[in-house]
Amino acid sequence: MSGSSLSKRHLALLLSALVFPGSGHFLLKRKARGCLFLVPALVALALVLRQIMARLDQVMAQIDSGALPLDVQLIMEKVDALSVNDGPAMTVAVCVLVACWIGSLIDTLLIKP
């Protein structure tokens, strides 16, 4: 193994760890494998963000109407109460996102240069 391929692998590992799952695979010219991690992670992230934005809209509507005062503790309690109703879709989306991230790192380590 040459120093160039080793440093490229380390950079790919950093990309997959710090940027987004599968991004390091693109550096290693493994686009199909990168997409196997990137696409499900993007879908999962979109579902998580959609749920968070819906929760934010509910809290902001209550703040705007005056039903919820601008008290950090009360707002946190309201967010926690809304989080209880997330359901299994949010749990699955978060698990998929974490699995893609970990799987991407492991696969980047195991790819032969």
Side-chain angles (χ1 to χ4, degrees):
M1 204 184 276
S2 70
S4 174
S5 65
L6 186 62
S7 64
K8 198 175 216 184
R9 181 180 291 196
H10 283 118
L11 183 57
L13 189 62
L14 282 172
L15 279 172
S16 289
L18 301 176
V19 177
F20 206 74
S23 58
H25 288 77
F26 287 90
L27 178 70
L28 296 173
K29 310 248 189 292
R30 305 288 176 104
K31 294 178 184 175
R33 284 176 99 163
C35 285
L36 289 175
F37 295 105
L38 187 94
V39 172
L42 278 174
V43 171
L45 182 63
L47 291 172
V48 168
L49 289 176
R50 189 176 122 215
Q51 184 69 27
I52 290 171
M53 292 304 291
R55 192 179 311 148
L56 177 66
D57 285 342
Q58 289 176 342
V59 171
M60 289 303 296
Q62 289 184 0
I63 291 172
D64 286 343
S65 71
L68 186 62
L70 282 176
D71 181 10
V72 175
Q73 185 64 34
L74 291 175
I75 293 171
M76 290 299 295
E77 289 173 7
K78 184 64 178 178
V79 169
D80 287 341
L82 290 173
S83 299
V84 171
N85 300 328
D86 282 342
M90 182 72 147
T91 304
V92 170
V94 170
C95 289
V96 166
L97 186 59
V98 170
C100 285
W101 224 302
I102 293 170
S104 173
L105 294 173
I106 292 170
D107 192 56
T108 301
L109 282 172
L110 298 177
I111 288 177
K112 296 193 191 298

XYZ file of all heavy atoms in Angstrom:
838
model
N 0.843 -1.167 0.000
C 0.000 0.000 0.000
C 0.889 1.230 0.000
O 1.753 1.385 0.838
C -0.869 -0.051 1.253
C -2.129 0.719 1.119
S -3.094 0.734 2.639
C -3.970 -0.783 2.532
N 0.667 2.116 -0.909
C 1.487 3.320 -0.982
C 0.949 4.387 -0.041
O -0.172 4.332 0.414
C 1.510 3.849 -2.424
O 0.243 4.367 -2.750
N 1.786 5.380 0.235
C 1.389 6.471 1.112
C 0.242 7.271 0.533
O -0.594 7.794 1.249
N 0.188 7.372 -0.801
C -0.865 8.139 -1.454
C -2.226 7.488 -1.244
O -3.197 8.167 -0.929
C -0.554 8.257 -2.944
O -1.630 8.862 -3.601
N -2.299 6.166 -1.442
C -3.586 5.498 -1.269
C -4.003 5.481 0.198
O -5.175 5.547 0.516
C -3.540 4.079 -1.824
O -2.639 3.285 -1.068
N -3.038 5.415 1.098
C -3.358 5.436 2.524
C -3.907 6.796 2.927
O -4.900 6.884 3.630
C -2.117 5.083 3.344
C -2.319 4.915 4.836
C -3.286 3.767 5.098
C -0.996 4.637 5.515
N -3.289 7.856 2.459
C -3.782 9.179 2.812
C -5.130 9.456 2.143
O -5.978 10.138 2.718
C -2.769 10.247 2.430
O -2.582 10.279 1.034
N -5.339 8.917 0.958
C -6.617 9.079 0.280
C -7.712 8.357 1.067
O -8.821 8.851 1.202
C -6.516 8.524 -1.142
C -7.597 8.993 -2.056
C -7.336 8.483 -3.458
C -7.754 9.508 -4.460
N -7.630 9.060 -5.832
N -7.370 7.180 1.593
C -8.337 6.437 2.396
C -8.666 7.199 3.677
O -9.825 7.254 4.095
C -7.809 5.053 2.733
C -8.811 4.250 3.552
C -8.301 2.914 3.887
N -8.222 2.125 2.673
C -8.103 0.823 2.676
N -8.022 0.174 3.807
N -8.023 0.166 1.560
N -7.642 7.795 4.306
C -7.898 8.571 5.518
C -8.778 9.783 5.225
O -9.677 10.112 6.006
C -6.578 9.022 6.160
C -5.895 7.932 6.908
N -4.658 7.457 6.561
C -6.304 7.200 7.971
C -4.322 6.491 7.382
N -5.299 6.323 8.250
N -8.539 10.442 4.112
C -9.363 11.579 3.721
C -10.800 11.123 3.442
O -11.766 11.787 3.841
C -8.769 12.280 2.493
C -9.491 13.530 2.019
C -9.572 14.573 3.125
C -8.798 14.103 0.796
N -10.929 9.982 2.771
C -12.261 9.437 2.498
C -12.978 9.084 3.800
O -14.177 9.316 3.944
C -12.148 8.204 1.607
N -12.253 8.551 4.750
C -12.824 8.214 6.049
C -13.285 9.485 6.775
O -14.381 9.515 7.354
C -11.796 7.457 6.882
C -12.279 6.837 8.174
C -13.344 5.799 7.890
C -11.120 6.197 8.905
N -12.476 10.520 6.699
C -12.865 11.789 7.311
C -14.099 12.386 6.634
O -14.983 12.932 7.301
C -11.708 12.789 7.259
C -10.614 12.581 8.288
C -9.439 13.515 8.017
C -11.144 12.806 9.686
N -14.154 12.300 5.315
C -15.327 12.804 4.595
C -16.589 12.053 5.012
O -17.632 12.650 5.257
C -15.130 12.685 3.086
C -14.308 13.763 2.412
C -14.044 13.396 0.960
C -15.006 15.097 2.503
N -16.480 10.727 5.087
C -17.638 9.926 5.474
C -18.032 10.174 6.927
O -19.204 10.099 7.277
C -17.353 8.435 5.270
O -17.305 8.126 3.901
N -17.056 10.452 7.767
C -17.344 10.661 9.182
C -17.875 12.061 9.465
O -18.815 12.226 10.246
C -16.082 10.416 10.012
N -17.297 13.068 8.835
C -17.597 14.447 9.207
C -18.534 15.179 8.259
O -19.146 16.176 8.656
C -16.288 15.240 9.340
C -15.301 14.696 10.375
C -14.014 15.500 10.335
C -15.901 14.710 11.761
N -18.627 14.737 7.016
C -19.473 15.454 6.054
C -20.829 14.766 5.924
O -21.849 15.288 6.345
C -18.778 15.586 4.686
C -19.684 16.258 3.679
C -17.488 16.377 4.833
N -20.838 13.569 5.347
C -22.085 12.820 5.170
C -21.742 11.387 4.795
O -20.725 11.147 4.143
C -22.950 13.472 4.077
C -24.407 13.205 4.245
C -25.134 13.838 5.235
C -25.060 12.298 3.435
C -26.486 13.587 5.404
C -26.407 12.040 3.588
C -27.122 12.686 4.570
N -22.573 10.436 5.181
C -22.289 9.040 4.844
C -22.185 8.834 3.340
O -23.015 9.318 2.579
C -23.492 8.272 5.387
C -24.191 9.182 6.303
C -23.804 10.574 5.948
N -21.160 8.134 2.926
C -20.974 7.835 1.509
C -20.149 8.858 0.763
O -19.704 8.592 -0.354
N -19.910 10.019 1.336
C -19.166 11.050 0.610
C -17.713 10.643 0.380
O -17.120 11.004 -0.636
C -19.240 12.385 1.349
O -18.733 12.275 2.662
N -17.140 9.885 1.278
C -15.769 9.416 1.093
C -15.642 8.420 -0.042
O -14.595 8.318 -0.684
N -16.699 7.682 -0.311
C -16.677 6.713 -1.409
C -16.497 7.411 -2.759
O -15.880 6.861 -3.664
C -17.955 5.890 -1.409
C -18.036 4.913 -0.281
N -18.345 5.296 1.002
C -17.840 3.580 -0.238
C -18.352 4.231 1.774
N -18.041 3.172 1.051
N -17.052 8.598 -2.877
C -16.912 9.337 -4.129
C -15.456 9.737 -4.361
O -14.989 9.733 -5.496
C -17.822 10.564 -4.144
C -19.270 10.213 -4.322
C -20.078 9.978 -3.220
C -19.817 10.092 -5.581
C -21.409 9.638 -3.379
C -21.148 9.749 -5.756
C -21.940 9.515 -4.646
N -14.745 10.055 -3.297
C -13.328 10.364 -3.410
C -12.538 9.136 -3.873
O -11.588 9.253 -4.641
C -12.776 10.855 -2.068
C -11.290 11.169 -2.022
C -10.992 12.419 -2.834
C -10.824 11.341 -0.595
N -12.960 7.962 -3.427
C -12.292 6.716 -3.797
C -12.803 6.150 -5.118
O -12.490 5.022 -5.485
C -12.479 5.676 -2.678
C -11.843 6.041 -1.345
C -12.237 5.021 -0.287
C -10.339 6.150 -1.459
N -13.621 6.928 -5.817
C -14.178 6.539 -7.123
C -15.088 5.312 -7.021
O -15.146 4.483 -7.907
C -13.063 6.295 -8.145
C -12.045 7.415 -8.219
C -12.134 8.136 -9.524
C -11.004 9.104 -9.729
N -10.990 10.250 -8.861
N -15.784 5.195 -5.918
C -16.750 4.117 -5.693
C -18.137 4.747 -5.570
O -18.774 4.727 -4.532
C -16.423 3.343 -4.417
C -15.025 2.783 -4.345
C -14.885 1.612 -5.308
N -13.536 1.111 -5.350
C -13.139 -0.002 -4.774
N -13.987 -0.746 -4.126
N -11.882 -0.377 -4.882
N -18.604 5.315 -6.673
C -19.830 6.099 -6.655
C -21.064 5.257 -6.340
O -21.946 5.694 -5.605
C -20.001 6.831 -7.979
C -18.937 7.878 -8.187
C -19.076 8.557 -9.522
C -17.918 9.524 -9.682
N -17.899 10.144 -10.991
N -21.130 4.051 -6.882
C -22.303 3.209 -6.635
C -22.395 2.844 -5.156
O -23.474 2.914 -4.551
C -22.238 1.947 -7.488
N -21.279 2.478 -4.569
C -21.273 2.145 -3.140
C -21.575 3.386 -2.302
O -22.240 3.294 -1.270
C -19.930 1.558 -2.731
C -19.771 0.130 -3.186
C -18.416 -0.381 -2.861
N -18.447 -1.164 -1.653
C -17.485 -1.995 -1.302
N -16.419 -2.124 -2.072
N -17.569 -2.685 -0.206
N -21.067 4.521 -2.729
C -21.355 5.757 -2.011
C -22.839 6.073 -2.021
O -23.399 6.506 -1.016
N -23.482 5.839 -3.162
C -24.920 6.097 -3.274
C -25.729 5.152 -2.394
O -26.808 5.511 -1.923
C -25.376 5.986 -4.722
S -24.880 7.402 -5.715
N -25.210 3.934 -2.171
C -25.908 2.992 -1.295
C -26.007 3.511 0.135
O -26.911 3.131 0.875
C -25.197 1.631 -1.293
C -25.322 0.809 -2.564
C -24.477 -0.449 -2.469
C -26.776 0.453 -2.826
N -25.073 4.348 0.528
C -25.126 4.961 1.854
C -25.754 6.352 1.804
O -26.493 6.737 2.708
C -23.718 5.061 2.457
C -23.096 3.731 2.730
C -22.092 3.246 1.906
C -23.515 2.956 3.790
C -21.519 2.019 2.147
C -22.946 1.725 4.037
C -21.946 1.246 3.221
N -25.474 7.088 0.762
C -25.910 8.471 0.651
C -27.424 8.606 0.486
O -28.058 9.410 1.183
C -25.192 9.139 -0.526
C -25.405 10.622 -0.675
C -24.278 11.358 0.021
C -25.439 11.002 -2.130
N -28.020 7.827 -0.386
C -29.451 7.976 -0.691
C -30.337 7.652 0.514
O -31.196 8.462 0.887
C -29.832 7.151 -1.945
C -31.325 7.130 -2.148
C -29.127 7.722 -3.172
N -30.167 6.487 1.163
C -31.022 6.246 2.335
C -30.781 7.250 3.462
O -31.719 7.628 4.170
C -30.654 4.839 2.800
C -29.754 4.269 1.795
C -29.317 5.351 0.875
N -29.541 7.691 3.620
C -29.246 8.676 4.659
C -29.931 10.004 4.340
O -30.441 10.671 5.249
C -27.738 8.857 4.803
N -29.962 10.397 3.084
C -30.652 11.633 2.696
C -32.152 11.539 2.935
O -32.772 12.482 3.424
C -30.384 11.958 1.226
C -29.076 12.656 0.912
C -28.895 12.785 -0.599
C -29.014 14.016 1.564
N -32.734 10.396 2.593
C -34.175 10.202 2.815
C -34.473 10.243 4.314
O -35.427 10.902 4.750
C -34.647 8.872 2.181
C -36.074 8.546 2.585
C -34.526 8.941 0.668
N -33.670 9.555 5.106
C -33.872 9.543 6.551
C -33.707 10.940 7.133
O -34.505 11.370 7.979
C -32.903 8.566 7.212
N -32.696 11.659 6.679
C -32.475 13.018 7.166
C -33.648 13.929 6.798
O -34.079 14.761 7.598
C -31.168 13.580 6.608
C -30.788 14.977 7.070
C -30.567 15.002 8.586
C -29.555 15.468 6.349
N -34.184 13.762 5.600
C -35.332 14.567 5.183
C -36.545 14.289 6.075
O -37.261 15.222 6.466
C -35.672 14.276 3.722
N -36.767 13.020 6.416
C -37.881 12.684 7.298
C -37.686 13.260 8.697
O -38.623 13.783 9.301
C -38.055 11.169 7.379
C -38.555 10.488 6.104
C -38.505 8.981 6.251
C -39.957 10.946 5.774
N -36.475 13.185 9.216
C -36.185 13.734 10.540
C -36.376 15.247 10.535
O -37.019 15.809 11.433
C -34.751 13.352 10.984
C -34.331 14.139 12.210
C -34.653 11.859 11.256
N -35.844 15.916 9.534
C -35.986 17.381 9.456
C -37.442 17.798 9.279
O -37.874 18.807 9.841
C -35.124 17.934 8.332
C -33.617 17.899 8.581
C -32.859 18.390 7.368
C -33.244 18.718 9.803
N -38.198 17.022 8.512
C -39.621 17.326 8.322
C -40.365 17.255 9.656
O -41.186 18.116 9.978
C -40.230 16.364 7.306
C -41.623 16.742 6.901
C -42.135 15.821 5.823
N -43.345 15.228 6.365
C -43.761 14.024 6.167
N -43.077 13.201 5.429
N -44.877 13.591 6.688
N -40.053 16.229 10.443
C -40.698 16.079 11.749
C -40.296 17.217 12.692
O -41.126 17.762 13.415
C -40.326 14.728 12.357
C -41.011 14.420 13.652
C -42.492 14.175 13.487
O -42.945 13.755 12.429
N -43.259 14.456 14.507
N -39.030 17.581 12.676
C -38.548 18.677 13.531
C -39.207 19.995 13.132
O -39.618 20.783 13.994
C -37.015 18.775 13.462
C -36.388 17.583 14.174
C -36.519 20.084 14.067
C -34.895 17.457 13.983
N -39.329 20.239 11.837
C -39.949 21.482 11.373
C -41.435 21.535 11.732
O -41.960 22.599 12.072
C -39.756 21.646 9.858
C -38.308 21.880 9.463
S -37.563 23.293 10.277
C -38.440 24.624 9.514
N -42.114 20.389 11.682
C -43.525 20.355 12.072
C -43.667 20.683 13.550
O -44.566 21.436 13.954
C -44.117 18.982 11.764
N -42.773 20.139 14.359
C -42.783 20.425 15.796
C -42.498 21.915 16.034
O -43.134 22.554 16.861
C -41.728 19.561 16.483
C -41.841 19.547 17.968
C -40.806 18.659 18.611
N -40.741 17.344 18.010
C -39.636 16.628 17.921
N -38.493 17.107 18.375
N -39.647 15.438 17.375
N -41.529 22.454 15.298
C -41.186 23.865 15.425
C -42.363 24.760 15.042
O -42.638 25.761 15.713
C -39.973 24.189 14.546
C -39.520 25.635 14.504
C -39.003 26.056 15.874
C -38.458 25.824 13.453
N -43.077 24.388 13.981
C -44.246 25.169 13.564
C -45.307 25.198 14.657
O -45.924 26.246 14.902
C -44.850 24.598 12.279
C -44.033 24.924 11.048
O -43.199 25.857 11.112
O -44.228 24.249 10.015
N -45.534 24.063 15.321
C -46.527 24.013 16.390
C -46.132 24.923 17.549
O -46.962 25.667 18.078
C -46.690 22.579 16.899
C -47.376 21.657 15.926
C -47.428 20.227 16.444
O -46.690 19.847 17.343
N -48.305 19.425 15.851
N -44.872 24.852 17.944
C -44.405 25.671 19.067
C -44.453 27.152 18.694
O -44.900 27.985 19.489
C -42.985 25.235 19.503
C -42.405 26.208 20.514
C -43.013 23.831 20.080
N -44.006 27.490 17.493
C -44.012 28.890 17.069
C -45.428 29.443 16.972
O -45.669 30.608 17.296
C -43.291 29.051 15.726
C -41.794 28.876 15.827
S -41.005 30.002 16.987
C -41.348 31.565 16.230
N -46.380 28.623 16.532
C -47.770 29.076 16.461
C -48.304 29.386 17.851
O -49.027 30.375 18.049
C -48.630 28.012 15.779
N -47.940 28.569 18.824
C -48.390 28.818 20.197
C -47.707 30.056 20.784
O -48.328 30.801 21.544
C -48.128 27.599 21.073
C -49.043 26.447 20.744
C -48.842 25.268 21.677
O -48.017 25.298 22.577
N -49.604 24.216 21.434
N -46.456 30.273 20.434
C -45.762 31.479 20.915
C -46.382 32.720 20.282
O -46.632 33.721 20.958
C -44.250 31.393 20.624
C -43.602 30.316 21.502
C -43.568 32.741 20.860
C -42.157 30.011 21.167
N -46.653 32.649 18.971
C -47.248 33.795 18.273
C -48.636 34.131 18.798
O -49.014 35.309 18.883
C -47.324 33.528 16.766
C -45.974 33.617 16.084
O -45.041 34.195 16.680
O -45.854 33.095 14.957
N -49.412 33.116 19.155
C -50.774 33.360 19.644
C -50.790 33.820 21.093
O -51.822 34.274 21.582
C -51.616 32.089 19.500
O -51.201 31.106 20.443
N -49.674 33.686 21.782
C -49.611 34.090 23.177
C -49.938 32.957 24.136
O -49.901 33.142 25.353
N -50.292 31.791 23.621
C -50.621 30.652 24.477
C -49.385 30.107 25.189
O -49.502 29.504 26.252
C -51.279 29.545 23.647
N -48.226 30.312 24.596
C -46.970 29.844 25.195
C -46.057 31.051 25.394
O -45.636 31.684 24.427
C -46.301 28.814 24.270
C -45.060 28.104 24.781
C -45.371 27.285 26.027
C -44.498 27.188 23.707
N -45.761 31.385 26.653
C -44.905 32.553 26.891
C -43.453 32.292 26.498
O -43.040 31.144 26.353
C -45.033 32.795 28.399
C -45.498 31.513 28.965
C -46.234 30.783 27.880
N -42.700 33.350 26.339
C -41.287 33.235 25.974
C -40.452 32.879 27.207
O -39.640 33.662 27.690
C -40.776 34.538 25.360
C -41.169 34.791 23.918
C -40.676 36.159 23.465
C -40.618 33.711 23.015
N -40.661 31.686 27.689
C -39.915 31.150 28.820
C -39.223 29.881 28.337
O -39.883 28.945 27.865
C -40.856 30.848 29.981
C -40.146 30.297 31.204
O -38.900 30.318 31.219
O -40.838 29.843 32.133
N -37.911 29.866 28.433
C -37.135 28.748 27.894
C -37.583 27.423 28.497
O -37.731 26.425 27.787
C -35.622 28.977 28.121
C -34.818 27.777 27.691
C -35.157 30.219 27.396
N -37.812 27.398 29.798
C -38.207 26.157 30.467
C -39.549 25.657 29.943
O -39.713 24.469 29.660
C -38.271 26.374 31.989
C -38.555 25.119 32.779
C -37.449 24.090 32.647
O -36.285 24.422 32.530
N -37.822 22.827 32.658
N -40.518 26.560 29.787
C -41.836 26.163 29.270
C -41.749 25.685 27.819
O -42.423 24.728 27.432
C -42.823 27.317 29.400
C -43.247 27.694 30.818
C -44.119 28.936 30.791
C -43.963 26.541 31.484
N -40.930 26.353 27.033
C -40.768 25.946 25.633
C -40.131 24.564 25.558
O -40.563 23.705 24.775
C -39.950 26.998 24.851
C -40.743 28.298 24.734
C -39.570 26.479 23.477
C -39.965 29.458 24.182
N -39.126 24.315 26.385
C -38.482 22.990 26.404
C -39.467 21.901 26.826
O -39.475 20.804 26.265
C -37.267 22.992 27.333
C -36.103 23.806 26.828
S -35.457 23.209 25.263
C -34.853 21.619 25.745
N -40.298 22.200 27.799
C -41.308 21.230 28.227
C -42.297 20.942 27.106
O -42.709 19.796 26.908
C -42.036 21.743 29.470
C -41.185 21.732 30.726
C -41.856 22.407 31.909
O -43.052 22.775 31.801
O -41.183 22.571 32.942
N -42.686 21.956 26.375
C -43.615 21.782 25.252
C -42.983 20.939 24.156
O -43.622 20.042 23.597
C -44.035 23.150 24.702
C -45.054 23.088 23.626
C -46.344 22.512 24.151
C -47.408 22.488 23.079
N -48.650 21.895 23.542
N -41.717 21.202 23.842
C -41.011 20.425 22.818
C -40.894 18.969 23.260
O -41.105 18.042 22.461
C -39.621 21.036 22.515
C -38.784 20.107 21.660
C -39.786 22.388 21.832
N -40.584 18.752 24.540
C -40.502 17.376 25.052
C -41.852 16.677 24.964
O -41.926 15.498 24.621
C -40.007 17.373 26.498
C -38.533 17.680 26.615
O -37.812 17.543 25.590
O -38.092 18.059 27.722
N -42.916 17.403 25.274
C -44.251 16.813 25.189
C -44.609 16.451 23.753
O -45.226 15.409 23.498
C -45.277 17.777 25.766
N -44.226 17.291 22.814
C -44.497 16.991 21.406
C -43.634 15.846 20.897
O -44.024 15.111 19.996
C -44.279 18.244 20.550
C -45.290 19.367 20.724
C -44.843 20.597 19.955
C -46.666 18.921 20.274
N -42.453 15.676 21.468
C -41.542 14.614 21.033
C -42.064 13.234 21.387
O -41.710 12.254 20.732
C -40.165 14.800 21.667
O -39.606 16.021 21.270
N -42.891 13.154 22.409
C -43.447 11.865 22.820
C -44.324 11.284 21.709
O -44.401 10.067 21.539
C -44.255 12.032 24.132
C -45.019 10.782 24.490
C -43.327 12.443 25.262
N -44.930 12.132 20.914
C -45.857 11.697 19.868
C -45.193 11.467 18.513
O -45.878 11.391 17.509
C -46.978 12.724 19.714
C -47.758 12.908 20.988
O -47.911 11.972 21.760
N -48.240 14.112 21.218
N -43.868 11.375 18.474
C -43.167 11.223 17.196
C -43.503 9.926 16.479
O -43.603 9.880 15.269
C -41.649 11.309 17.388
C -41.179 12.730 17.560
O -41.931 13.641 17.201
O -40.058 12.918 18.045
N -43.651 8.854 17.197
C -44.017 7.583 16.598
C -42.816 6.825 16.081
O -41.666 7.284 16.149
N -43.085 5.649 15.528
C -41.996 4.774 15.090
C -41.268 5.267 13.839
O -40.119 4.907 13.623
C -42.683 3.442 14.833
C -44.111 3.774 14.585
C -44.390 5.015 15.390
N -41.903 6.090 13.028
C -41.249 6.559 11.799
C -40.005 7.372 12.117
O -38.977 7.243 11.447
C -42.224 7.380 10.958
N -40.090 8.197 13.141
C -38.936 9.008 13.532
C -37.817 8.112 14.057
O -36.644 8.323 13.735
C -39.364 10.023 14.597
C -38.263 10.940 15.027
S -37.871 12.135 13.763
C -37.413 13.513 14.757
N -38.168 7.113 14.848
C -37.168 6.186 15.380
C -36.483 5.422 14.255
O -35.256 5.288 14.246
C -37.831 5.202 16.364
O -38.488 5.944 17.386
C -36.808 4.272 16.977
N -37.251 4.956 13.302
C -36.686 4.221 12.169
C -35.785 5.131 11.342
O -34.688 4.735 10.936
C -37.805 3.603 11.295
C -37.256 3.063 9.993
C -38.526 2.515 12.060
N -36.220 6.362 11.110
C -35.420 7.294 10.310
C -34.085 7.588 10.990
O -33.041 7.608 10.338
C -36.198 8.581 10.064
N -34.116 7.807 12.290
C -32.868 8.071 13.016
C -31.965 6.842 12.991
O -30.752 6.949 12.783
C -33.162 8.521 14.463
C -31.899 8.554 15.299
C -33.827 9.886 14.464
N -32.546 5.652 13.158
C -31.753 4.415 13.112
C -31.126 4.202 11.736
O -29.972 3.782 11.629
C -32.610 3.213 13.496
S -33.035 3.171 15.243
N -31.868 4.487 10.679
C -31.337 4.356 9.322
C -30.185 5.336 9.115
O -29.143 4.976 8.548
C -32.446 4.577 8.261
C -31.868 4.781 6.874
C -33.408 3.410 8.273
N -30.350 6.555 9.581
C -29.299 7.557 9.434
C -28.028 7.133 10.171
O -26.926 7.188 9.614
C -29.792 8.911 9.944
C -28.888 10.109 9.738
C -28.595 10.327 8.261
C -29.527 11.354 10.326
N -28.170 6.671 11.390
C -27.010 6.223 12.171
C -26.381 4.988 11.532
O -25.144 4.887 11.428
C -27.418 5.961 13.636
C -26.312 5.263 14.398
C -27.796 7.263 14.320
N -27.204 4.046 11.076
C -26.682 2.822 10.448
C -25.919 3.154 9.162
O -24.865 2.559 8.896
C -27.818 1.850 10.159
N -26.438 4.075 8.383
C -25.737 4.476 7.156
C -24.401 5.122 7.489
O -23.401 4.882 6.811
C -26.598 5.434 6.337
S -27.954 4.644 5.478
N -24.378 5.942 8.528
C -23.141 6.623 8.894
C -22.095 5.620 9.360
O -20.956 5.634 8.895
C -23.401 7.652 9.993
C -22.710 8.954 9.732
C -21.371 9.136 9.566
C -23.306 10.226 9.553
N -21.107 10.455 9.312
C -22.267 11.151 9.305
C -24.611 10.684 9.602
C -22.503 12.500 9.104
C -24.830 12.021 9.401
C -23.787 12.921 9.150
N -22.483 4.722 10.239
C -21.537 3.717 10.744
C -21.134 2.762 9.630
O -19.957 2.422 9.479
C -22.143 2.972 11.947
C -22.284 3.930 13.130
C -21.294 1.763 12.334
C -23.082 3.378 14.293
N -22.101 2.314 8.833
C -21.800 1.415 7.726
C -20.864 2.038 6.707
O -19.974 1.370 6.168
N -21.039 3.316 6.451
C -20.170 4.016 5.520
C -18.731 4.049 6.024
O -17.782 3.861 5.252
C -20.692 5.435 5.305
O -19.813 6.195 4.539
N -18.576 4.285 7.320
C -17.233 4.311 7.895
C -16.565 2.937 7.829
O -15.402 2.813 7.443
C -17.279 4.788 9.347
C -17.711 6.235 9.559
C -17.866 6.520 11.036
C -16.725 7.173 8.928
N -17.322 1.912 8.174
C -16.765 0.559 8.137
C -16.411 0.164 6.713
O -15.342 -0.391 6.446
C -17.751 -0.440 8.769
C -17.859 -0.182 10.277
C -17.324 -1.886 8.504
C -18.980 -0.937 10.951
N -17.302 0.466 5.769
C -17.041 0.116 4.375
C -15.841 0.876 3.823
O -15.065 0.322 3.053
C -18.291 0.383 3.528
C -18.180 -0.231 2.151
O -17.946 -1.464 2.076
O -18.305 0.500 1.168
N -15.688 2.138 4.213
C -14.537 2.914 3.762
C -13.248 2.293 4.262
O -12.247 2.248 3.540
C -14.650 4.372 4.248
O -15.856 4.933 3.742
C -13.481 5.206 3.751
N -13.270 1.793 5.481
C -12.091 1.125 6.017
C -11.760 -0.177 5.293
O -10.588 -0.543 5.135
C -12.265 0.835 7.511
C -12.067 1.997 8.455
C -12.474 1.593 9.854
C -10.637 2.478 8.427
N -12.797 -0.881 4.846
C -12.600 -2.205 4.240
C -12.364 -2.188 2.739
O -12.003 -3.211 2.170
C -13.816 -3.095 4.553
C -14.062 -3.366 6.025
C -15.324 -4.200 6.200
C -12.873 -4.053 6.660
N -12.579 -1.029 2.086
C -12.371 -0.953 0.636
C -10.895 -1.150 0.335
O -10.028 -0.518 0.936
C -12.843 0.409 0.075
C -14.353 0.477 0.080
C -12.326 0.647 -1.329
C -14.911 1.804 -0.378
N -10.628 -2.004 -0.633
C -9.242 -2.200 -1.070
C -8.910 -1.115 -2.088
O -9.671 -0.868 -3.013
C -9.081 -3.580 -1.688
C -9.321 -4.679 -0.696
C -8.860 -5.984 -1.252
C -9.271 -7.117 -0.480
N -9.134 -7.599 0.636
N -7.750 -0.474 -1.923
C -7.387 0.608 -2.845
C -7.087 0.107 -4.256
O -6.789 -0.996 -4.502
C -6.161 1.236 -2.215
C -5.672 0.296 -1.194
C -6.776 -0.671 -0.894
